[in-house]
Amino acid sequence: MIAHLLWLQLPFVYLPLLVVGLAIYGADFEHPSGRIYLWTPLVLAVLHSLLRHFGRVLAKREVSAAVLILGAAVVAYAYRPLHMSWWDERSTSQAAHILAIGVCSVFASQLGARRVTRAGGPDATHAACAFAVLALIATGGMLYPMIALLALAPLMAAGAAVDDEAPDAPRAERPATRFGGWRRYAVLLAGIELSLPLWDFQTDPRWALFLGLGLLGVAAGVVLAARRPLFAVLLPAFATVWTVAAAFDSAQTVCPMHALLVGAGTGWLLRPLFEARAVKDEPASLAWCTPVWIVGILLGYVLAANRSIMGLRLLFWLPLLIPLLGVFRNAPSRPSGSDSRPTT
Amino acid sequence: MRRALAVFTAFAAILWAALPLRFDVRGPRLGIPALLAPGEVFTTDLHLSHPGWRPALEARLERDGVSYPLELVGDHLAWNRLELDYRTPPDAPHGGYDLVLVDDSGVEHRRERSVHLLPPPAHDLRIVQLADLPTFGSGPPDGFGEGPGDAEMRQIVREINLIRPDYVLLSGDVAYVGGWFHYHKLHEHLLDLESPVICVLGNHEYKGLAGYLETMGAPRHVVDHGDLSFVSLNTGHGRDQLTASQFTWLERVMDERHDQRVIVQMHHPLFWKRKVFVRVDEMVELFADHEVPIVLSGHWHADNVFDEHGVSRTDGPDFPGTKYVTTTAAGAELHPDQSTAFESYHGYRVFELHGNQLGRYTYDGDGDGQPDTSSSHPAHRMLIEDLGDGGVRIASSWNEDLLGATVSLRSRRELVPDKGTLLRRRVQGDMILHEVRIDVPAGADFVVKLVEPRP
Ligand SMILES: [Fe+2]
């Protein structure tokens, strides 16, 4: 599970928190700090791709342990100034620290991904457990908004200590699921929907509860997606009710149940990712899922900030498509993936 | 070996962030003060660097160099929030105090003028509201130094001290450029105000939100004083246009205060253009249900008054229901096109409250002897000049009388004023401050000074 945690923390904790900090507290792109934030996504993307192609040296056990322990120390050092103070858009040192944590997060994610790949591909149960732990970590933001960044330090340390997804019996042949098209679109919509409470609560750190509940929902969705008959009916029904309510009155988005259900819908959509065969050192195509999900969170912000514009308000209807897509796209395509699923 | 190192790193990382154990005093603050009578209890809200930790603290109030110890009468710890209830000394004189908390290593945490000891609110009150302040400092946005905005603000502070309202409300865009330095400057200026200040942010505060939160505190809040409550809402432009969670909070706050007199301030007006866009009808209904006499805003840099149907009133200031009032800028650029006032100028709003009825809330701008429909009081038309010998010259260019003004006169000895009524004396270092109540008629120009008491 720890390899999955390391792999998934980048898209589901670090990147959302970066967006939350920048969106809630603002960014001044004429200030050096703002320019660092502008470069951050590019630097992380380039680093990610470099590590994918040239990071074989990281596969060595000693090297990966050393990188993870060093990363844990860097994360702790970089997080400390944020612990008791506000996210400051005009602090150059804070921007540098956030970038440093991002670099550690990319290293951790790549190491995690390599371990998952080495084990033959991702595992739905491990992924669900990882999402549950990430949910707990995210909820800690209620106490200290950015504490989830610090959580990367013990995660990396744990990764150095435990190599739990070391090669075991090769997982049987799996489908090379393409996580594309409609599914990507649905993840985009989930990003929009799940980010709405974050923009609603703003500086009130109770938004962390909703991020946590969303991730807990994802964990539940990944697990429950295996029990198709019950889940395939109940989830879209509930999620439809909630999303329609959200379209009429955005107050619905700050209902905890809403975050859980949309999270569950997302988990259901993501499940095929965790049943797919690893392709070229990349456990399924999370690389495609991540940018779409982050763009969704950003779009959610644009929607929330311009709620008064009628045309944009109508876009609140879009998330309704998640459950519908689930029914019409996901369910019929599942049997092939599901039936050939090996025992894990 | 690898495992031991990993476990050590994990623990060290967490401890590194939380240690040394430290705390932040979130409330009360200068702009979110505790208002209470001597002998009453107020709550201090601490944010702890480590959940579950209780710092050993000594607490006191300080004013004019004199300390008054506080008695801890209760505490409540919830994760990383510690609430401490302190009883104020019954014999402490009325006025604004610094709250000082000293931890066991001797480090002092001071929240300046965050506690005001006052009598319970009277039936008749005078309140001043201002918004869209001048830009403090000089040079580039983060540049230090004095600028014309500082002189303007000092003059406004002198005028408000003369008017001596029971409360001062600051309705957003309080440090127009929004850098840390500007909030420190704002804080300095506000320390010179004698009345308690209740401050809320506007859209410009989102240009340096961390600076605002650190200096002035929470973005939305409620300040209670006896049967009076001030609700301050965050309408920061484009982001938090009364979000669902804030509206739920507002409903709860109003519900808990159904017997109270409630005054509401929010930076954005509720009506017309450049306003709050969402949940307007619900808010108007809520305020009507609670018979809120006045809802105060800024943002337009212009005077305007609306009734609860959203109609801009030009037929006189008296009409039934809640008054939705926007006040001209105190220092930022004026927008006369959005004003319904006789004249556009920098100013502030002076209003009276009689019980829960709004009294006079507009200025007689055209000088016809009647208050206008929407005019606020002009700034920079009341000269208050310290003559340095215990005398103060007051020259009013107002069209109306200022009744019950308070002027502060300094001397080294106890003297008496040659005009007005001596309210009280305060010792400040080696000087004695004499507070004198006096009426300032329209157009008056006179000197009030301290003289030897007659035998
Ligand atoms: Fe404004």
Side-chain angles (χ1 to χ4, degrees):
Chain A
M1 180 191 70
I2 286 170
H4 282 74
L5 266 172
L6 289 174
W7 171 42
L8 296 171
Q9 52 74 31
L10 173 68
F12 293 99
V13 172
Y14 174 80
L15 290 176
L17 282 188
L18 176 67
V19 177
V20 165
L22 286 175
I24 291 182
Y25 294 93
D28 180 355
F29 294 122
E30 280 160 27
H31 194 274
S33 62
R35 285 193 283 271
I36 295 179
Y37 287 123
L38 272 181
W39 281 99
T40 297
L42 194 68
V43 169
L44 299 186
V46 168
L47 177 69
H48 186 270
S49 124
L50 282 177
L51 286 177
R52 255 187 85 187
H53 294 104
F54 306 105
R56 282 187 201 290
V57 65
L58 291 179
K60 279 194 174 173
R61 195 173 272 201
E62 286 68 26
V63 175
S64 82
V67 165
L68 286 168
I69 284 182
L70 183 69
V74 170
V75 166
Y77 173 80
Y79 166 77
R80 191 171 190 271
L82 264 171
H83 187 57
M84 288 292 283
S85 59
W86 307 98
W87 178 288
D88 184 0
E89 60 173 297
R90 290 200 184 133
S91 161
T92 310
S93 72
Q94 180 192 298
H97 286 201
I98 295 288
L99 176 59
I101 296 175
V103 167
C104 295
S105 179
V106 169
F107 265 98
S109 187
Q110 266 301 304
L111 279 166
R114 275 174 187 281
R115 289 182 182 182
V116 170
T117 308
R118 209 167 59 206
D123 175 83
T125 313
H126 282 204
C129 291
F131 276 115
V133 173
L134 292 178
L136 194 69
I137 287 172
T139 310
M142 290 178 77
L143 300 180
Y144 309 98
M146 293 290 146
I147 190 95
L149 296 179
L150 176 68
L152 183 56
L155 277 189
M156 290 179 93
V162 185
D163 205 348
D164 62 347
E165 274 98 341
D168 45 45
R171 289 173 188 158
E173 65 279 7
R174 300 163 152 219
T177 303
R178 255 192 74 248
F179 192 85
W182 285 104
R183 246 188 254 267
R184 260 185 242 163
Y185 182 55
V187 168
L188 175 85
L189 297 178
I192 296 177
E193 184 95 351
L194 279 174
S195 73
L196 292 177
L198 276 53
W199 315 132
D200 194 294
F201 280 97
Q202 301 257 321
T203 51
D204 176 349
R206 272 185 296 162
W207 54 256
L209 174 68
F210 289 82
L211 183 60
L213 284 172
L215 291 174
L216 192 65
V218 173
V222 169
V223 172
L224 292 173
R227 305 183 184 281
R228 237 178 349 118
L230 176 72
F231 195 62
V233 176
L234 274 184
L235 180 82
F238 275 123
T240 306
V241 170
W242 283 105
T243 44
V244 168
F248 279 112
D249 176 11
S250 60
Q252 297 297 327
T253 57
V254 293
C255 170
M257 199 62 177
H258 181 258
L260 257 176
L261 285 173
V262 175
T266 314
W268 186 38
L269 285 162
L270 289 178
R271 172 135 189 157
L273 270 182
F274 305 115
E275 291 172 337
R277 188 170 63 217
V279 183
K280 286 188 203 156
D281 283 350
E282 190 68 12
S285 22
L286 197 59
W288 277 111
C289 171
T290 301
V292 165
W293 149 253
I294 297 302
V295 167
I297 293 178
L298 281 167
L299 279 179
Y301 170 67
V302 174
L303 272 177
N306 298 286
R307 230 191 289 264
S308 57
I309 301 169
M310 197 54 202
L312 278 171
R313 245 161 92 176
L314 289 177
L315 289 180
F316 275 92
W317 280 89
L318 281 179
L320 174 63
L321 291 173
I322 292 182
L324 293 181
L325 286 172
V327 172
F328 296 118
R329 292 274 167 181
N330 192 9
S333 70
R334 282 189 46 81
S336 62
S338 163
D339 293 345
S340 61
R341 198 166 71 93
T343 49
T344 47
Chain B
M1 170 64 192
R2 195 174 55 155
R3 289 200 176 191
L5 187 61
V7 170
F8 170 79
T9 311
F11 274 101
I14 292 168
L15 287 177
W16 164 256
L19 292 177
L21 295 173
R22 55 202 189 277
F23 64 88
D24 179 33
V25 186
R26 289 277 162 97
R29 317 282 291 238
L30 173 76
I32 317 171
L35 310 176
L36 66 163
E40 287 183 345
V41 174
F42 72 96
T43 301
T44 300
D45 183 15
L46 302 187
H47 181 66
L48 311 169
S49 73
H50 187 282
W53 164 63
R54 270 170 209 269
L57 295 171
E58 247 177 59
R60 60 174 194 264
L61 295 180
E62 253 185 48
R63 175 179 165 86
D64 298 336
V66 182
S67 286
Y68 301 86
L70 290 167
E71 181 199 352
L72 183 69
V73 292
D75 61 358
H76 175 68
L77 178 70
W79 296 88
N80 61 339
R81 298 302 283 264
L82 178 62
E83 289 179 352
L84 301 169
D85 299 330
Y86 287 114
R87 185 176 299 285
T88 54
D91 55 342
H94 290 157
Y97 290 80
D98 294 356
L99 169 67
V100 183
L101 298 174
V102 184
D103 63 28
D104 46 9
S105 53
V107 176
E108 203 180 87
H109 304 257
R110 184 179 290 266
R111 285 280 173 236
E112 288 165 300
R113 293 179 61 76
S114 59
V115 177
H116 288 258
L117 299 182
L118 306 163
H123 181 268
D124 298 326
L125 296 166
R126 182 190 282 168
I127 301 172
V128 165
Q129 177 240 0
L130 63 163
D132 305 286
L133 303 190
T135 303
F136 309 128
S138 61
D142 290 325
F144 288 76
E146 284 282 301
D150 293 285
E152 282 172 43
M153 189 64 193
R154 250 178 233 118
Q155 167 64 18
I156 289 173
V157 166
R158 272 198 296 272
E159 289 173 26
I160 294 175
N161 279 342
L162 182 73
I163 298 167
R164 199 59 65 92
D166 297 284
Y167 314 92
V168 176
L169 304 180
L170 240 64
S171 310
D173 286 2
V174 288
Y176 219 71
V177 186
W180 281 80
F181 163 69
H182 298 90
Y183 292 113
H184 288 305
K185 271 286 198 187
L186 169 74
H187 198 266
E188 265 172 39
H189 287 303
L190 296 180
L191 286 177
D192 292 334
L193 276 171
E194 292 292 339
S195 312
V197 185
I198 299 162
C199 177
V200 75
L201 50 68
N203 49 314
H204 280 265
E205 275 64 71
Y206 273 87
K207 284 184 184 169
L209 193 56
Y212 179 85
L213 295 171
E214 183 67 27
T215 320
M216 303 304 293
R220 65 157 189 252
H221 48 83
V222 54
V223 172
D224 295 314
H225 180 213
D227 71 334
L228 189 65
S229 296
F230 296 94
V231 175
S232 302
L233 296 170
N234 174 9
T235 57
H237 190 65
R239 302 201 193 185
D240 190 1
Q241 294 271 9
L242 263 299
T243 60
S245 57
Q246 184 171 204
F247 188 69
T248 311
W249 173 86
L250 175 65
E251 281 182 311
R252 182 172 55 77
V253 159
M254 297 295 280
D255 207 42
E256 288 166 356
R257 285 162 182 77
H258 53 88
D259 294 333
Q260 296 277 99
R261 300 188 262 171
V262 177
I263 305 289
V264 178
Q265 66 169 340
M266 59 180 106
H267 180 67
H268 291 69
L270 276 190
F271 299 116
W272 205 28
K273 51 188 178 181
R274 297 170 58 227
K275 63 177 187 95
V276 172
F277 288 103
V278 289
R279 301 185 181 85
V280 173
D281 295 343
E282 293 95 317
M283 260 193 289
V284 169
E285 204 183 309
L286 192 66
F287 297 151
D289 283 352
H290 286 76
E291 296 175 11
V292 173
I294 187 166
V295 175
L296 296 145
S297 299
H299 190 56
W300 287 352
H301 307 190
D303 288 320
N304 214 318
V305 170
F306 291 81
D307 63 20
E308 55 195 18
H309 307 291
V311 177
S312 171
R313 302 293 292 237
T314 49
D315 53 341
D318 266 339
F319 53 86
T322 305
K323 274 83 172 171
Y324 292 86
V325 175
T326 67
T327 296
T328 189
E333 189 191 346
L334 295 169
H335 296 160
D337 53 313
Q338 296 183 45
S339 171
T340 54
F342 177 74
E343 187 191 347
S344 278
Y345 41 68
H346 289 140
Y348 39 81
R349 191 161 298 279
V350 183
F351 66 98
E352 293 164 354
L353 205 61
H354 310 295
N356 198 34
Q357 297 301 311
L358 185 63
R360 225 181 129 156
Y361 65 97
T362 55
Y363 175 70
D364 177 13
D366 52 7
D368 65 353
Q370 295 298 317
D372 293 359
T373 308
S374 70
S375 299
S376 52
H377 282 66
H380 314 297
R381 292 190 194 171
M382 185 71 81
L383 176 80
I384 303 129
E385 189 185 356
D386 195 334
L387 300 175
D389 56 351
V392 169
R393 179 183 161 215
I394 299 171
S396 166
S397 313
W398 281 20
N399 290 338
E400 58 183 50
D401 300 343
L402 169 60
L403 302 179
T406 304
V407 60
S408 299
L409 305 169
R410 273 162 223 279
S411 68
R412 293 194 183 277
R413 289 178 296 134
E414 286 195 359
L415 298 170
V416 293
D418 67 339
K419 295 183 188 68
T421 325
L422 179 67
L423 286 177
R424 60 176 175 170
R425 295 190 181 97
R426 267 169 70 187
V427 180
Q428 283 186 328
D430 56 351
M431 299 297 275
I432 295 173
L433 192 82
H434 300 69
E435 291 192 336
V436 178
R437 172 124 317 158
I438 199 160
D439 292 341
V440 183
D445 187 344
F446 62 92
V447 172
V448 53
K449 60 181 184 235
L450 293 170
V451 293
E452 293 291 343
R454 284 196 208 111

